[in-house]
């Protein structure tokens, strides 16, 4: 009898232990909290320009947005989302708590009128897509090649679909792009294109519905070339920045503005001092006169700077006259651009020519 009671007690004890074990609360694997944040542009797009260069956002503009993310305390950045938009109003993106993000934005003012566009087949339907600087690894219909990017005004969340020219390192992102114009030609420094670039790095979202401001800077520079009035016959050709320009006795002054699209995140965007935003260029002049004789100046190196105009005066060896002034003021922003920020003169010495 005692043995039976003992067995019953052991059995009851085992049931009680199992019951206590089953009643122990468990902590489920909690999914990271998802949030939605809003994006807005600020910075030099807010500047008031003079009437000839005033920036007014409209639905002709194009915005490319590339987003990267990583766990807040470990790992390296990888691509997270991208999208092509024609407005920065009501741009929203889903993010995850305890993650870091990098946002890159590039915008072409009136991009719909200036960037090469073509139809693209997506899910058995044709849509309008835009080329560089918005060309992407889009993988439309499973294709692995690059293509124009569909204007969707929403993000595509993927690590293997993205805008070309965006590269990641362990701690940094490098951006490098070109421009494909309406005529199908590609340029490193497109003329008369207003290009803006901005980024926010190591951003950790904290709550739902907040607005993140991304400061955009205008990536532009100008040059002015003055040829003296010794040019009374024939023509002088200038090769610079992959362009060729012609000067004649009736047209001896050149003024151009260009967009700078070659790695601005590395060289220009982080510099508040405009004197540190320099990039080298070369000028090559050649004069063919009406009688067939030629004058060949040696290639001359100079710098251009963000939001500044570099002025170049071409002299002709042996001329006694003083050539025209080489100072010019141009307004890119609400604040005046420095007059003749960089002025160069070439051709006054014998060594400036190829003999």
């Amino acid at each position: 009898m005692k043995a039976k009671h003992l067995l019953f007690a052991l059995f009851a004890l085992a049931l009680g232990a199992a019951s206590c074990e089953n009643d122990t609360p468990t902590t489920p694997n909690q999914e990271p909290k998802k949030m939605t944040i809003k994006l807005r542009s600020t910075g030099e797009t807010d500047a008031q320009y003079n009437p000839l260069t005033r920036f007014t956002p409209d639905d002709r503009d194009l915005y490319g947005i590339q987003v990267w993310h990583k766990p807040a305390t470990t790992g390296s950045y990888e691509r997270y989302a991208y999208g092509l938009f024609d407005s920065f109003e009501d741009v929203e993106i889903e993010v995850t708590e305890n993650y870091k993000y990098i946002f890159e934005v590039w915008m072409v003012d009136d991009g719909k009128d200036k960037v090469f566009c073509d139809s693209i087949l997506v899910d058995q339907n044709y849509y309008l897509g835009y080329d560089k600087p918005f060309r992407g690894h889009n993988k439309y219909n499973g294709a692995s090649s690059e293509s124009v990017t569909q204007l969707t005004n929403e993000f595509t969340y993927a690590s293997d679909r993205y805008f070309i020219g965006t590269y990641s390192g362990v701690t940094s992102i490098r951006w490098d792009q070109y421009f494909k114009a309406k005529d199908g030609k590609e340029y490193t420094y497109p003329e008369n294109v207003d290009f803006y670039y901005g980024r926010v790095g190591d951003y950790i979202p904290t709550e739902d519905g907040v607005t993140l401001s991304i400061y955009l800077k205008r990536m532009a520079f100008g040059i002015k070339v003055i040829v003296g009035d010794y040019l009374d016959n024939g023509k002088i050709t200038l090769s610079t920045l992959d362009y060729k320009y012609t000067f004649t006795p009736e047209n001896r002054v050149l003024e151009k503005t260009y967009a700078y699209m070659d790695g601005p995140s590395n060289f220009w965007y982080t510099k508040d001092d405009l004197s540190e935003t320099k990039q080298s260029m070369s000028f090559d002049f050649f004069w063919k006169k009406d009688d067939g004789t030629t004058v060949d100046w040696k290639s001359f190196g100079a710098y251009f700077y963000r939001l500044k105009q570099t002025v170049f005066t071409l002299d002709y060896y042996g001329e006694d006259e003083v050539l025209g002034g080489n100072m010019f003021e141009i307004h890119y922003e609400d604040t005046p651009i420095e007059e003749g920020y960089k002025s160069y003169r070439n051709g006054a010495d014998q060594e400036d020519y190829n003999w």
Side-chain angles (χ1 to χ4, degrees):
M1 177 68 74
K2 290 183 179 180
K4 290 182 178 180
H5 283 297
L6 180 61
L7 288 174
F8 179 79
L10 291 174
F11 179 71
L13 181 64
L15 287 177
S19 176
C20 290
E21 183 176 339
N22 290 337
D23 289 342
T24 301
T26 60
T27 302
N29 293 328
Q30 294 181 346
E31 290 293 328
K33 180 182 176 182
K34 300 289 185 180
M35 295 172 278
T36 298
I37 64 173
K38 300 177 181 179
L39 306 182
R40 69 176 293 264
S41 66
T42 184
E44 293 174 2
T45 57
D46 294 336
Q48 297 297 310
Y49 303 110
N50 67 51
L52 294 181
T53 59
R54 187 182 186 90
F55 172 76
T56 304
D58 56 37
D59 62 3
R60 305 306 298 168
D61 307 327
L62 291 175
Y63 298 81
I65 307 176
Q66 181 75 52
V67 187
W68 314 70
H69 75 164
K70 65 182 284 296
T73 59
T74 187
S76 59
Y77 278 104
E78 66 176 16
R79 297 178 179 92
Y80 170 65
Y82 78 115
L84 181 58
F85 302 78
D86 62 8
S87 171
F88 223 93
E89 297 292 329
D90 302 320
V91 176
E92 295 183 343
I93 185 169
E94 185 179 88
V95 294
T96 305
E97 66 175 347
N98 298 323
Y99 266 70
K100 285 185 177 180
Y101 290 84
I102 292 177
F103 296 87
E104 288 196 294
V105 179
W106 52 101
M107 185 269 284
V108 177
D109 184 21
D110 292 333
K112 291 182 180 178
D113 305 316
K114 296 181 178 181
V115 178
F116 182 85
C117 62
D118 198 1
S119 60
I120 182 73
L121 182 64
V122 182
D123 298 331
Q124 309 307 314
N125 292 306
Y126 282 96
Y127 298 92
L128 193 63
Y130 291 88
D131 215 297
K132 298 177 182 178
F134 307 109
R135 192 173 182 84
H137 288 285
N138 299 301
K139 295 192 173 181
Y140 296 141
N141 306 312
S144 60
S145 59
E146 300 171 1
S147 68
V148 297
T149 299
Q150 180 189 356
L151 175 62
T152 60
N153 281 315
E154 62 183 27
F155 282 103
T156 296
Y157 296 88
S159 61
D160 60 348
R161 300 170 64 183
Y162 51 88
F163 290 114
I164 65 170
T166 54
Y167 307 91
S168 66
V170 175
T171 59
S172 63
I173 304 297
R174 183 169 70 87
W175 193 92
D176 192 8
Q177 254 306 358
Y178 299 94
F179 185 87
K180 189 170 183 179
K182 280 289 188 180
D183 60 6
K185 295 181 181 179
E186 292 189 14
Y187 300 92
T188 305
Y189 309 104
E191 292 180 349
N192 302 319
V193 170
D194 269 343
F195 173 69
Y196 292 77
Y197 174 83
R199 64 177 287 157
V200 170
D202 292 341
Y203 172 77
I204 300 178
T206 57
E207 59 181 297
D208 190 57
V210 299
T211 298
L212 174 64
S213 296
I214 302 177
Y215 193 97
L216 301 185
K217 290 185 178 181
R218 187 183 185 208
M219 298 295 168
F221 66 95
I223 66 171
K224 181 176 182 178
V225 181
I226 303 169
V227 174
D229 57 10
Y230 58 82
L231 177 59
D232 56 5
N233 73 92
K235 64 181 181 179
I236 293 176
T237 57
L238 164 63
S239 298
T240 188
L241 301 174
D242 297 326
Y243 292 94
K244 280 199 172 183
Y245 301 106
T246 300
F247 299 87
T248 64
E250 296 76 32
N251 182 20
R252 294 186 289 106
V253 178
L254 171 74
E255 285 187 69
K256 292 290 184 181
T257 60
Y258 306 86
Y260 179 57
M261 310 183 70
D262 188 9
S265 60
N266 290 340
F267 300 110
W268 280 16
Y269 186 73
T270 59
K271 305 295 184 182
D272 293 325
D273 183 352
L274 296 183
S275 67
E276 297 181 3
T277 62
K278 66 180 181 180
Q279 180 71 19
S280 62
M281 59 181 166
S282 63
F283 290 89
D284 291 286
F285 291 95
F286 186 82
W287 183 11
K288 185 173 182 179
K289 300 182 181 181
D290 288 340
D291 61 6
T293 60
T294 60
V295 177
D296 187 9
W297 287 266
K298 289 183 178 179
S299 181
F300 183 80
Y303 289 104
F304 57 81
Y305 300 78
R306 190 175 85 86
L307 298 182
K308 295 187 180 294
Q309 183 187 63
T310 297
V311 182
F312 190 95
T313 299
L314 182 66
D315 282 341
Y316 179 43
Y317 177 80
E319 291 291 321
D320 294 330
E321 62 192 56
V322 178
L323 300 183
N326 59 351
M327 297 297 184
F328 187 78
E329 180 180 13
I330 188 168
H331 292 261
Y332 289 108
E333 300 182 273
D334 197 29
T335 55
I337 298 300
E338 297 179 33
E339 292 186 357
Y341 181 73
K342 280 292 182 180
S343 298
Y344 297 90
R345 188 178 292 273
N346 189 47
D349 299 319
Q350 204 171 21
E351 301 81 44
D352 293 334
Y353 298 84
N354 293 315
W355 299 99

